[in-house]
Amino acid sequence: MRKTSTRLADGRELIYYDLRDTPREAVDRRPLDATVTSSEVRHDVLLGDDIAVASHRQGRTYHPPADQCPLCPTHGDRLSEIPDSTYDVVVFENRFPSLAGDSGRCEVVCFTEDHDASFSSLTEEQARLVLDAWTDRTAELSQLSSVVQVFPFENRGREIGVTLGHPHGQIYAYPFVTPRTARMFQSLAARRGEDPEANLFDEIVARESTGERLVLEGEHWVAFVPYAAHWPYEVHLYPRRRVPDLTALDEAQRAEFPRLYLELLRRFDRVFGPDEPPTPYIAAWHQAPFSGLDAYEGVTRDDFALHLELFTIRRTSGKLKFLAGSESGMGVFINDVPPEAAARRLREVASA
């Protein structure tokens, strides 16, 4: 992998990740003013949550036509966020970030220059390059004083709320431990209190590596529908050897990941039948925070298990799972599809 860092016209950082030794010397020719953001993190004293307020995002790019896509390479006079005329993977600071400055950082990850592709259509070599980019950004962002936790993710599909059709994801670098991660550490600490030798993540992976909720497995990774899945079709992908974050994966784990993940995405695309449109989904990496864990007695960040959660908001053909009264009002999910049935369907679906 070759990494080349440069700056856009408004001062934002852009990084090329290339499979080959490709020189990158193109300059951003757009007449952009310096980026101005109004991101602010506010603490909800009643619920204990941290909320980002970012009013400048109201003006972000919204469903542009394909020939005006800001994530495609620059060609001639059609200027985009990527100054070069070609690229493999690109990461750049979001022009409309939810988090900025002392409140963290937001980045965009372009998986390919092909506007009509998807992550599932990438080759294993391309998918590995994306993994390497996620890993490098996790390592780099962890060095920022304002960053406590790094969250790479992909939103796919208009139903999810995606405003740009080009295959891409994002990375949020939070200045706090996120609520879901905090709840996981609370559960880890509680289990450790019952048994000083126990690790709840290890127990879950061991339990789900066999049985009716198993979806896909390799030598180094295992994918399963969790026992208490929140979403109709939800799969968790874990490395068998527990690591706290992407930077701790060994070469064997990195080498196997692209094949299993691409297979999983292709199955997701066919789960509702061959004539259905591509399945909307969220793919979310859970990584251990770099600090902020003093409240969880008996556990450290090394007790956390890196894993990816993949889920769709589509519950059946042509119907979405809406977060209505119970889910949005009380945080109590009601799942329309038994996890065992979802796993069975994902096992039977051919990806080709």
Side-chain angles (χ1 to χ4, degrees):
M1 177 186 78
R2 172 172 172 151
K3 176 184 174 183
T4 306
S5 180
T6 184
R7 292 281 170 179
L8 297 173
D10 55 9
R12 289 176 293 132
E13 186 178 18
L14 180 143
I15 306 160
Y16 294 96
Y17 293 90
D18 287 300
L19 291 167
R20 311 288 179 260
D21 191 19
T22 307
R24 298 294 183 186
E25 300 175 350
V27 175
D28 185 4
R29 294 181 280 127
R30 296 173 298 171
L32 298 180
D33 294 329
T35 301
V36 178
T37 63
S38 57
S39 179
E40 174 189 2
V41 173
R42 298 185 180 184
H43 185 70
D44 185 326
V45 295
L46 187 61
L47 295 179
D49 292 346
D50 292 294
I51 308 298
V53 179
S55 59
H56 61 275
R57 284 175 53 80
Q58 288 282 34
R60 64 188 184 274
T61 309
Y62 186 81
H63 293 302
D67 62 357
Q68 297 177 32
C69 175
L71 306 185
C72 287
T74 287
H75 286 293
D77 293 331
R78 199 197 77 175
L79 309 179
S80 76
E81 289 278 62
I82 295 91
D84 216 322
S85 60
T86 183
Y87 67 85
D88 290 335
V89 171
V90 165
V91 177
F92 60 87
E93 289 184 75
N94 198 322
R95 191 176 177 187
F96 304 98
S98 302
L99 306 165
D102 293 339
S103 297
R105 176 158 158 152
C106 292
E107 298 181 339
V108 176
V109 184
C110 298
F111 302 141
T112 171
E113 67 178 33
D114 184 353
H115 182 85
D116 298 317
S118 65
F119 200 117
S120 64
S121 68
L122 299 181
T123 65
E124 290 185 22
E125 184 182 40
Q126 289 174 307
R128 168 62 189 264
L129 183 61
V130 176
L131 175 64
D132 290 343
W134 284 330
T135 303
D136 181 72
R137 297 315 301 152
T138 296
E140 291 290 328
L141 292 169
S142 71
Q143 301 303 308
L144 299 180
S145 60
S146 62
V147 173
V148 171
Q149 184 173 353
V150 177
F151 173 50
F153 64 98
E154 180 191 1
N155 296 331
R156 192 271 191 98
R158 286 197 176 209
E159 300 94 329
I160 296 293
V162 174
T163 57
L164 295 175
H166 196 103
H168 73 288
Q170 299 182 65
I171 300 175
Y172 276 22
Y174 296 104
F176 50 78
V177 178
T178 60
R180 288 201 68 194
T181 305
R183 292 176 70 178
M184 292 182 200
F185 271 96
Q186 290 166 3
S187 298
L188 277 175
R191 181 69 182 106
R192 183 62 55 83
E194 298 169 350
D195 180 353
E197 302 301 318
N199 182 285
L200 189 56
F201 283 116
D202 292 348
E203 293 174 342
I204 291 171
V205 171
R207 183 185 70 206
E208 301 295 358
S209 292
T210 60
E212 56 186 343
R213 289 183 296 275
L214 179 66
V215 174
L216 198 61
E217 61 179 333
E219 182 180 356
H220 303 286
W221 294 82
V222 60
F224 55 85
V225 177
Y227 172 75
H230 289 58
W231 300 91
Y233 289 91
E234 174 183 342
V235 177
H236 294 190
L237 178 64
Y238 278 79
R240 293 185 185 274
R241 180 182 65 84
R242 171 168 42 90
V243 297
D245 58 33
L246 289 163
T247 68
L249 291 172
D250 62 27
E251 179 54 33
Q253 292 168 318
R254 294 180 187 282
E256 187 180 74
F257 171 79
R259 177 177 64 81
L260 263 70
Y261 187 46
L262 291 172
E263 171 70 13
L264 197 55
L265 291 178
R266 290 162 188 167
R267 291 190 186 197
F268 251 62
D269 265 350
R270 297 178 65 85
V271 72
F272 299 109
D275 299 325
E276 287 291 309
T279 301
Y281 64 74
I282 293 175
W285 280 109
H286 291 268
Q287 304 194 85
F290 299 101
S291 60
L293 301 177
D294 293 343
Y296 310 108
E297 187 175 352
V299 296
T300 69
R301 75 183 305 270
D302 287 333
D303 291 304
F304 192 84
L306 168 76
H307 61 285
L308 182 142
E309 294 186 10
L310 174 68
F311 61 89
T312 177
I313 62 169
R314 187 176 291 163
R315 59 186 173 87
T316 189
S317 178
K319 297 179 181 178
L320 300 181
K321 165 66 177 176
F322 292 103
L323 299 189
S326 184
E327 291 89 353
S328 295
M330 283 290 132
V332 178
F333 276 69
I334 301 168
N335 194 344
D336 305 284
V337 179
E340 295 75 19
R344 184 168 59 250
R345 175 60 181 159
L346 285 164
R347 284 195 302 270
E348 3 180 273
V349 172
S351 66

